[in-house]
Amino acid sequence: MSPEHVKITVTHILYADLHGIDSHGCSMMHHYHRSYADGRLSMTPKIEVIRETKATALIDGGGGLGHVPADKAMRLAIAKCRSSGIGAVAVRNSGHFGAAGAYTSMAAQEGFIGMATTSTHAPALVPTFGAEALLGTNPIAFAAPAVRNQIFSLDMATSTVPIGRLTDEWRKGNAIPVGWAMNRKCRPIRNGRAATKHRMVTPLGMDQKTGGHKGYGLAAMVEILSAILPGVTRSRKRGGGDGRAGHFFLALDPRQFSDEGEFEEDLDDMVDMLHACRRADPNRPVLVAGDPEHAKAEERERSGIPLSKSVFEDIRSVARASGVAFLLEGEA
Amino acid sequence: MSPEHVKITVTHILYADLHGIDSHGCSMMHHYHRSYADGRLSMTPKIEVIRETKATALIDGGGGLGHVPADKAMRLAIAKCRSSGIGAVAVRNSGHFGAAGAYTSMAAQEGFIGMATTSTHAPALVPTFGAEALLGTNPIAFAAPAVRNQIFSLDMATSTVPIGRLTDEWRKGNAIPVGWAMNRKCRPIRNGRAATKHRMVTPLGMDQKTGGHKGYGLAAMVEILSAILPGVTRSRKRGGGDGRAGHFFLALDPRQFSDEGEFEEDLDDMVDMLHACRRADPNRPVLVAGDPEHAKAEERERSGIPLSKSVFEDIRSVARASGVAFLLEGEA
């Protein structure tokens, strides 16, 4: 991978690890390595702008990891937003891009509203009334700038839980709650490791009675924006691009709707109002999207990023297989 | 109300009633009338474009109902999308606009992707870990054009259920499920009528364990787009515009990302794939967002829109209070 691509990729991997989104950071390294070893991932992708107008663009990711094309796409959306008030950029022929919030926070840091969605390489989400997984856990991220408070930053799978949570609970020795995952007979699975193998999770809201059809609808919306719009579905149909992902990015300038600073001030007021919400449990404050991640980032900036034994060993084996020095040696 | 405003308003009220979204159609008439009688609603609003760029605009709704400014805003977003590939229009100082899907379907019928969100006049959604309602049931609508299939049309409250469902279940004599609504002590309410009075519903996903923080995050995202962005929050703070709502509309042209017709073809494939999903119950097919509403519209186009006794009487009393003929007389 070129030094420039390394730098961008590491920045976004670190974003995930720093913000406590451990399932999307360096724990992915051995998956990436396996895809590379299997010849399914280019480390020298040609990333190209295929179509472009003043406010929109389509980027081809060249069959590599998603971080670099996603970074390029959000930068382009921000540039278009700066000149046109709004910018929308879609990416095809891409790969796993880490945490979606890494890209929306780029927009918010520049004073814009940011939105990002991604399709995934393999299905996991079971449609309402269905008995097989047909969509990905298709995340939505949305960020907006504040001043007194940290940026508002929502980053969520449209499934009840992302796949990574299933293994997490198993590692902690917990049974997973009924309603998170199922087997082919639509019976709930309680064992997180078995659930990870079955790869059949419920949409946000679970049953139809509790709104699962809405999570399923949101997952389909994400599929439309990040797979159908950039043409990922199309290239899959043509026999190429199996296991490829697509993304969608939007940047919007609040200054086209109100005077400089008004948006941020009003968002601060909303955040303050939510933080001051009467509590169900006096010891558990009401949070705002992004709070847990901001707190985790502050903590880890100070004390470092803890790596589990298994991630540590995974990275060591990637280093060995790649013939490069394992710089963390002795630090486990 | 001017004949032009009547025509547009009735079109969108009829959209809701025709598509089975009974809570957002003519059942709202007596609420509208009450607001008008109380002096909180103008029937002759001055609807103005306040700010405008090639791809964005801000509209002031003039303190009337939301249907006319929303219609104007989506038309403007579509026009901007036609020339710039994308258009985003926000609306402030507006009112209830009926079903959000009425506006996104306008975009889809023109071959564009449409998105619409709205804030609401009064809070109902309780933040995760909270014990009071601070956000509206803030709906998101998203539509996209297909060819073989009906348009994809998602229209959902970001709460587990909209307020209207609580009364519906009570009218049907059903207890509402635990997890939909609560009282000030955060105990579940099972009586739909009592729940409607308390006006405290859970976000989509309910508890944090089952993803309720995501529904809460989505509701906050909708608040940012439809209340903070257009300045509804600001005018409320300045002491005016109490009970006013704001909206956000987006139109996006798939032809900026792929060749003419490719998007629709690929969306048709996705819809077909979802319809063909292996079923949990052989007698219950897997649906796609919009299917129930499209089916209802087909049925009601043929056989008419059934009105409940109470809605019928409500409309009669509005007609009487307004001194106009009640044209449905004898048809109940």
Side-chain angles (χ1 to χ4, degrees):
Chain A
M1 198 182 255
S2 75
E4 189 208 349
H5 282 197
V6 166
K7 195 179 158 193
I8 296 168
T9 306
V10 167
T11 299
H12 293 301
I13 288 179
L14 261 181
Y15 174 94
D17 284 315
L18 199 61
H19 288 79
I21 313 163
D22 297 346
S23 53
H24 287 63
C26 64
S27 68
M28 289 298 293
M29 206 80 90
H30 79 286
H31 292 285
Y32 297 161
H33 183 73
R34 205 190 304 146
S35 298
Y36 171 65
D38 291 352
R40 287 180 288 123
L41 194 64
S42 166
M43 286 296 147
T44 53
K46 197 172 158 207
I47 300 165
E48 285 177 295
V49 177
I50 301 293
R51 290 171 189 254
E52 190 167 15
T53 71
K54 278 199 173 174
T56 68
L58 173 68
I59 289 178
D60 189 292
L65 282 171
H67 310 82
V68 180
D71 185 275
K72 188 185 173 86
M74 189 44 114
R75 270 176 216 289
L76 193 54
I78 289 169
K80 289 176 181 306
C81 178
R82 220 181 282 284
S83 61
S84 300
I86 190 167
V89 180
V91 180
R92 73 181 190 198
N93 195 20
S94 187
H96 191 265
F97 74 5
Y103 309 100
T104 49
S105 70
M106 287 167 63
Q109 269 148 21
E110 300 283 332
F112 301 122
I113 293 171
M115 193 179 147
T117 63
T118 186
S119 67
T120 62
H121 71 292
L125 186 144
V126 180
T128 307
F129 302 153
E132 61 179 322
L134 287 182
L135 295 170
T137 52
N138 292 4
I140 298 176
F142 177 90
V147 173
R148 287 196 307 279
N149 293 287
Q150 302 263 28
I151 62 170
F152 177 95
S153 179
L154 176 70
D155 181 359
M156 53 169 269
T158 47
S159 49
T160 300
V161 287
I163 293 291
R165 270 297 290 284
L166 306 174
T167 324
D168 282 357
E169 294 298 323
W170 174 80
R171 279 208 191 101
K172 289 184 201 157
N174 300 335
I176 59 172
V178 170
W180 282 16
M182 63 182 88
N183 64 19
R184 288 268 297 169
K185 287 180 176 161
C186 299
R187 308 302 305 169
I189 301 188
R190 305 298 306 273
N191 179 296
R193 197 169 174 82
T196 306
K197 275 187 194 146
H198 276 84
R199 251 187 111 80
M200 287 176 69
V201 293
T202 56
L204 174 61
M206 304 185 294
D207 283 349
Q208 193 209 18
K209 195 183 76 178
T210 48
H213 54 294
K214 299 182 182 187
Y216 161 43
L218 289 170
M221 175 184 91
V222 170
E223 193 77 8
I224 291 170
L225 289 172
S226 357
I228 294 180
L229 187 72
V232 174
T233 313
R234 179 153 293 263
S235 56
R236 212 177 277 159
K237 202 163 58 177
R238 286 180 179 156
D242 231 27
R244 303 278 77 210
H247 326 299
F248 177 76
F249 302 92
L250 184 83
L252 179 66
D253 185 0
R255 283 164 294 263
Q256 304 307 330
F257 301 87
S258 54
D259 290 342
E260 179 80 42
E262 290 189 338
F263 177 87
E264 290 82 350
E265 199 181 307
D266 291 350
L267 181 53
D268 271 327
D269 286 348
M270 182 190 91
V271 171
D272 292 345
M273 173 191 80
L274 293 170
H275 280 155
C277 182
R278 192 169 161 264
R279 301 176 184 184
D281 170 350
N283 299 312
R284 212 158 50 168
V286 170
L287 304 176
V288 172
D291 282 352
E293 293 81 7
H294 293 312
K296 193 59 90 175
E298 218 169 275
E299 175 197 321
R300 292 186 171 184
E301 284 277 11
R302 278 198 312 271
S303 57
I305 296 165
L307 293 185
S308 73
K309 185 79 186 152
S310 75
V311 168
F312 189 85
E313 289 307 326
D314 279 348
I315 298 177
R316 187 207 301 272
S317 77
V318 170
R320 192 182 302 131
S322 312
V324 300
F326 181 58
L327 301 175
L328 298 174
E329 199 69 70
E331 297 198 16
Chain B
M1 197 182 257
S2 75
E4 189 209 351
H5 282 197
V6 166
K7 195 177 161 197
I8 296 169
T9 306
V10 167
T11 300
H12 295 299
I13 287 179
L14 262 182
Y15 174 95
D17 283 316
L18 200 60
H19 288 79
I21 313 163
D22 296 346
S23 53
H24 287 63
C26 64
S27 68
M28 289 297 294
M29 207 79 90
H30 78 287
H31 292 286
Y32 298 160
H33 183 75
R34 205 189 307 147
S35 299
Y36 170 66
D38 291 353
R40 287 179 288 123
L41 194 64
S42 165
M43 285 297 147
T44 53
K46 195 173 161 208
I47 299 165
E48 284 178 293
V49 178
I50 301 293
R51 291 173 189 252
E52 190 167 19
T53 70
K54 278 198 171 172
T56 67
L58 172 69
I59 288 178
D60 189 293
L65 282 172
H67 309 83
V68 179
D71 184 275
K72 185 185 176 87
M74 188 47 113
R75 271 177 214 287
L76 192 54
I78 290 169
K80 289 176 183 302
C81 178
R82 219 181 283 283
S83 60
S84 302
I86 190 166
V89 180
V91 181
R92 71 180 192 199
N93 196 18
S94 185
H96 191 264
F97 75 6
Y103 310 100
T104 50
S105 71
M106 287 166 62
Q109 269 148 22
E110 300 283 333
F112 301 124
I113 293 171
M115 193 178 147
T117 63
T118 186
S119 67
T120 61
H121 72 290
L125 185 143
V126 180
T128 307
F129 302 153
E132 61 178 321
L134 287 182
L135 296 169
T137 53
N138 292 4
I140 298 176
F142 178 91
V147 173
R148 289 196 307 279
N149 294 288
Q150 302 262 28
I151 62 169
F152 177 95
S153 181
L154 176 69
D155 182 359
M156 52 171 269
T158 48
S159 49
T160 300
V161 287
I163 294 290
R165 271 296 290 287
L166 305 173
T167 324
D168 283 357
E169 294 299 324
W170 174 80
R171 279 208 191 102
K172 289 182 202 158
N174 300 334
I176 58 172
V178 171
W180 281 16
M182 63 182 90
N183 63 19
R184 287 269 297 172
K185 288 182 175 159
C186 300
R187 308 301 307 170
I189 301 188
R190 306 299 307 275
N191 179 295
R193 197 171 174 81
T196 305
K197 274 187 197 147
H198 275 84
R199 248 186 116 78
M200 286 177 70
V201 293
T202 57
L204 173 60
M206 303 184 296
D207 282 348
Q208 193 209 18
K209 197 182 75 177
T210 49
H213 53 297
K214 300 183 183 189
Y216 161 43
L218 290 169
M221 175 183 92
V222 170
E223 193 77 9
I224 291 170
L225 289 172
S226 357
I228 294 181
L229 188 73
V232 174
T233 313
R234 178 154 293 263
S235 55
R236 212 176 280 158
K237 201 163 55 175
R238 287 182 178 154
D242 231 27
R244 303 278 74 210
H247 327 299
F248 177 77
F249 302 92
L250 185 84
L252 178 66
D253 185 1
R255 283 165 293 263
Q256 303 306 330
F257 301 88
S258 55
D259 290 343
E260 178 80 41
E262 290 189 338
F263 176 87
E264 290 81 350
E265 200 181 305
D266 291 350
L267 181 54
D268 270 328
D269 286 349
M270 182 190 90
V271 171
D272 291 346
M273 173 191 79
L274 292 170
H275 280 154
C277 183
R278 194 169 159 263
R279 300 176 184 183
D281 171 350
N283 299 315
R284 209 156 53 166
V286 170
L287 304 176
V288 172
D291 282 354
E293 292 81 7
H294 294 311
K296 193 59 88 174
E298 217 169 273
E299 176 198 320
R300 292 186 170 184
E301 283 278 10
R302 279 198 313 272
S303 56
I305 295 165
L307 293 185
S308 73
K309 185 82 186 148
S310 75
V311 169
F312 188 87
E313 289 307 326
D314 279 347
I315 299 177
R316 187 208 301 269
S317 76
V318 171
R320 192 180 306 130
S322 312
V324 299
F326 181 57
L327 302 174
L328 298 172
E329 201 67 73
E331 297 198 15

